[in-house]
Amino acid sequence: MQSYIQSAEEILKKNDLGSYTVPTHGLYPFQWNWDSCLTALGQFHFNEARAWREIETLMAHQWDDGMVPHIIFHKEDDGYFPGPDVWATGRKVPTSGITQPAVAGFAVNRLYERAKDKALAGEMVRALLPKIHKWHQWFFRCRDPQGTGLVAIIHPWESGRDNSVDWDVPFSRVPTDGVLPFQRRDTQHANPDHRPTQAQYERYIWLVQLFRSLKWDNMALRDNSPFRIVDPGFNAILLRSCSDVAKLAAEVGLDDIAAESRSFAQKGTLAMDALWDDDFGQYICFDRAANELIKSPSISGILAAFADIPAGRSKALAERVMRLSSRCTYAVASHDPAGEGFDASRYWRGPVWLIVNYMIADGLRRAGQTDVAEKIKHDSLELIEKGGFRNTMIL
Ligand code: DGY
């Protein structure tokens, strides 16, 4: 155990650029939104103040409308595509123009609960909660026009699960005409067989070009994107953050934030049930543009365990993890190995992702599904020992 902790600390220190941390040198040379929040949870173990700084830096780049971008391009680095010139969002410190899973509320609550320096934690919470809440309000305003309680993503990169099988059908409706010629950089840093395909990249960029042509007006993006998906894992992270913000805001006397956050969490958690699929025994995505459920058994529907879903659903998800585990050596594959489109080595189409395991185990533990939570933790540690700190799949 000690050696894992030491190597985790060494990696975080190596990737630390002072006020933000890169997910990895080379492939991801800037600050990424959810990576940063989860990184802060690790930094907390050896430097509490530095952990708070990570989230402060991220939130300092929030847009005026409340959106928190998925990449902050703090400095130039031509080793990444698409860089700031492609996004062209017009920000002083350039950022991308889309968002990412809203895990900041959860992270801030966890840092606060575990803080030894309570004075610093209190100060940080009072400064950060209004910003995080503004981001949550942005989600429900800009990504839930009908007021269903659940929000849609408008680009696969927002989910963090770039090339999930979930997007195969919706992507067949995203065109590629007019995509300007580009040169990918990711395949220079990573094995192309593990990364998204060229056809997927063309669609990623087509969407970016469309959003840029709409001048990054979030209402226009919401109404014009042909890709609008209600992703259960993405929503679960947002709803868990809303409920953590509600608890924390009540504790520090921010009563209006507490009340609205509680109502976001309650409404969304009830709405989530419409995404339940009895055949797979897990949640699935809903394609808002096509008005249909996406019958694809990905990890997103299991990550829903991170929110305060009903006890019966948590139990069913725990059983689902065990059923999936009987087909792989390690829990939890990012796509069902029996499902169409599964690929043991390609990014989000099969490999296990440790941060997702962490969130699923956390949710299951809270719901009393301790044995399965322990199994996920045990498998994750074994995977780290065999494959290192990265996404990995050993069937
Ligand atoms: C990438 O470029 O691979 C990212 O996942 C986009 O955020």
Side-chain angles (χ1 to χ4, degrees), residues 22-43:
V22 297
T24 179
H25 286 286
L27 186 60
Y28 293 120
F30 311 106
Q31 183 177 25
W32 260 259
N33 186 325
W34 73 327
D35 301 79
S36 249
C37 296
L38 295 161
T39 290
L41 298 182
Q43 289 169 328

Side-chain angles (χ1 to χ4, degrees), residues 209-364:
Q209 285 183 198
L210 169 72
F211 302 157
R212 193 177 63 197
S213 74
L214 297 169
K215 307 201 177 330
W216 299 108
D217 168 349
N218 265 304
M219 292 300 192
L221 267 49
R222 173 190 89 179
D223 296 336
N224 289 285
S225 175
F227 184 90
R228 296 195 304 280
I229 310 289
V230 179
D231 171 323
F234 187 92
N235 275 277
I237 293 173
L238 172 62
L239 296 173
R240 171 67 181 276
S241 280
C242 287
S243 98
D244 284 353
V245 165
K247 189 196 122 245
L248 203 45
E251 240 173 277
V252 300
L254 297 168
D255 296 338
D256 291 351
I257 293 186
E260 195 176 22
S261 302
R262 206 172 300 120
S263 107
F264 285 154
Q266 282 164 355
K267 185 173 173 184
T269 310
L270 278 177
M272 185 87 104
D273 225 50
L275 305 180
W276 184 261
D277 182 274
D278 273 329
D279 296 338
F280 296 130
Q282 64 162 84
Y283 298 88
I284 53 174
C285 290
F286 177 73
D287 184 334
R288 225 173 232 173
N291 198 24
E292 65 191 18
L293 287 159
I294 303 175
K295 205 75 185 161
S296 167
S298 77
I299 192 82
S300 169
I302 299 172
L303 175 55
F306 195 50
D308 296 317
I309 52 172
R313 296 297 191 215
S314 303
K315 183 167 176 285
L317 288 180
E319 288 162 5
R320 172 74 171 146
V321 170
M322 292 314 289
R323 277 201 305 284
L324 285 174
S325 299
S326 67
R327 289 185 226 129
C328 321
T329 317
Y330 300 99
V332 185
S334 51
H335 200 77
D336 183 343
E340 214 176 295
F342 171 85
D343 182 331
S345 50
R346 212 179 267 277
Y347 225 38
W348 288 93
R349 300 177 78 90
V352 174
W353 287 76
L354 294 169
I355 51 165
V356 175
N357 271 9
Y358 170 78
M359 289 185 276
I360 295 173
D362 179 274
L364 291 179

Side-chain angles (χ1 to χ4, degrees), residues 121-187:
E123 193 188 308
M124 286 295 140
V125 161
R126 269 180 285 275
L128 290 170
L129 277 198
K131 296 183 180 190
I132 294 173
H133 182 59
K134 189 174 170 189
W135 186 22
H136 295 172
Q137 289 173 316
W138 171 85
F139 267 116
F140 292 105
R141 192 175 65 250
C142 293
R143 298 303 181 77
D144 182 20
Q146 309 296 331
T148 64
L150 297 176
V151 303
I153 53 164
I154 58 168
H155 194 296
W157 285 340
E158 291 199 314
S159 68
R161 300 183 302 114
D162 300 1
N163 64 339
S164 168
V165 178
D166 294 349
W167 324 137
D168 290 359
V169 172
F171 248 21
S172 64
R173 289 193 310 272
V174 174
T176 54
D177 50 302
V179 171
L180 300 168
F182 62 86
Q183 198 197 348
R184 288 174 63 172
R185 303 288 173 164
D186 59 316
T187 42

